[in-house]
Amino acid sequence: DADVTQTPRNRITKTGKRIMLECSQTKGHDRMYWYRQDPGLGLRLIYYSFDVKDINKGEISDGYSVSRQAQAKFSLSLESAIPNQTALYFCATSDKYTAGTDTQYFGPGTRLTVL
Amino acid sequence: RKEVEQDPGPFNVPEGATVAFNCTYSNSASQSFFWYRQDCRKEPKLLMSVYSSGNEDGRFTAQLNRASQYISLLIRDSKLSDSATYLCVVSLGGSYIPTFGRGTSLIVHP
């Protein structure tokens, strides 16, 4: 089984709908992240969480919210989806920093289309 | 100036060629450096960490130049399966979030 899973893998929705993307991990990592990827723009950080009680905004948090339900679960919500939120969304995890080992492990991605 | 910059390419090379990518970073306090590989529409995966002394993994060699603030990735004897986007990642460590470059596209053709 994959260490980092995302559901759904693909979603098509309409403008104004509320959408939740879910991420689960079995790696036992404290840190979890949500990114979006758009062609030509690379990965951009939306939110991140260093533990269950810690939530931080990333580079592009407007229009998104998150919930860290447990160490293993980190959900991303689009309260009212808009077409420019069409993108590939990745969840990632990492362990607490130990020199040179803050490697991030990514889920398979969720392809979201907002019509 | 962007924190982490990469030439987007694409680098179009024949099988067997040697190809090198560079990545520059702006923060001299950066502590950790990585190369990730991303196949089309797939998740990024760690290719290798980059150590101060440089490191090699088979056909792949990564080097760090702190004085000039860049890291490099050298791929020898390119294979068709090396076709992918290579992401440079730089981290300040601790509670800082790693910064990803936009990636360099490599296409290896027969």
Side-chain angles (χ1 to χ4, degrees):
Chain A
D1 288 339
D3 294 321
V4 184
T5 57
Q6 292 184 234
T7 55
R9 295 292 311 279
N10 291 281
R11 181 71 183 268
I12 299 174
T13 191
K14 294 182 178 180
T15 297
K17 293 291 188 181
R18 184 177 187 276
I19 297 297
M20 179 180 285
L21 309 183
E22 299 188 348
C23 176
S24 294
Q25 53 115 346
T26 59
K27 299 187 76 66
H29 287 170
D30 293 308
R31 299 180 174 187
M32 298 187 75
Y33 312 79
W34 275 105
Y35 293 90
R36 66 176 279 176
Q37 188 173 41
D38 301 272
L41 294 180
L43 284 164
R44 292 185 292 168
L45 183 65
I46 306 172
Y47 271 94
Y48 63 101
S49 169
F50 280 178
D51 64 43
V52 175
K53 296 180 180 179
D54 176 77
I55 302 289
N56 303 281
K57 292 182 177 180
E59 180 186 353
I60 52 162
S61 59
D62 288 348
Y64 302 94
S65 63
V66 291
S67 172
R68 184 82 185 265
Q69 301 96 322
Q71 187 203 35
K73 296 184 182 296
F74 193 35
S75 300
L76 176 72
S77 293
L78 287 67
E79 297 300 327
S80 180
I82 56 177
N84 76 359
Q85 291 177 313
T86 293
L88 183 56
Y89 289 83
F90 288 109
C91 173
T93 74
S94 68
D95 204 350
K96 283 183 182 177
Y97 177 73
T98 303
T101 62
D102 53 344
T103 303
Q104 294 198 330
Y105 298 86
F106 286 82
T110 294
R111 186 164 298 279
L112 177 66
T113 302
V114 183
L115 301 176
Chain B
R1 180 183 176 188
K2 293 186 178 62
E3 292 183 51
V4 178
E5 293 201 58
Q6 297 183 249
D7 180 343
F11 285 65
N12 209 316
V13 303
E15 271 187 292
T18 295
V19 61
F21 312 133
N22 280 343
C23 165
T24 59
Y25 60 95
S26 60
N27 193 328
S28 60
S30 297
Q31 297 292 319
S32 303
F33 309 89
F34 309 88
W35 284 103
Y36 279 69
R37 171 191 169 128
Q38 185 175 23
D39 293 300
C40 187
R41 301 188 178 204
K42 302 277 188 166
E43 71 273 27
K45 293 184 179 179
L46 179 68
L47 178 66
M48 57 198 307
S49 301
V50 186
Y51 303 121
S52 297
S53 56
N55 47 303
E56 187 174 312
D57 183 3
R59 298 181 293 108
F60 298 83
T61 300
Q63 293 193 315
L64 167 63
N65 185 316
R66 284 193 183 273
S68 300
Q69 294 182 206
Y70 73 87
I71 65 172
S72 63
L73 179 67
L74 179 78
I75 305 175
R76 291 181 297 278
D77 188 22
S78 298
K79 311 293 184 188
L80 296 176
S81 57
D82 292 334
S83 297
T85 296
Y86 291 84
L87 304 174
C88 168
V89 183
V90 176
S91 176
L92 289 168
S95 60
Y96 293 95
I97 306 301
T99 300
F100 284 77
R102 294 185 180 184
T104 296
S105 174
L106 172 65
I107 300 170
V108 182
H109 59 82

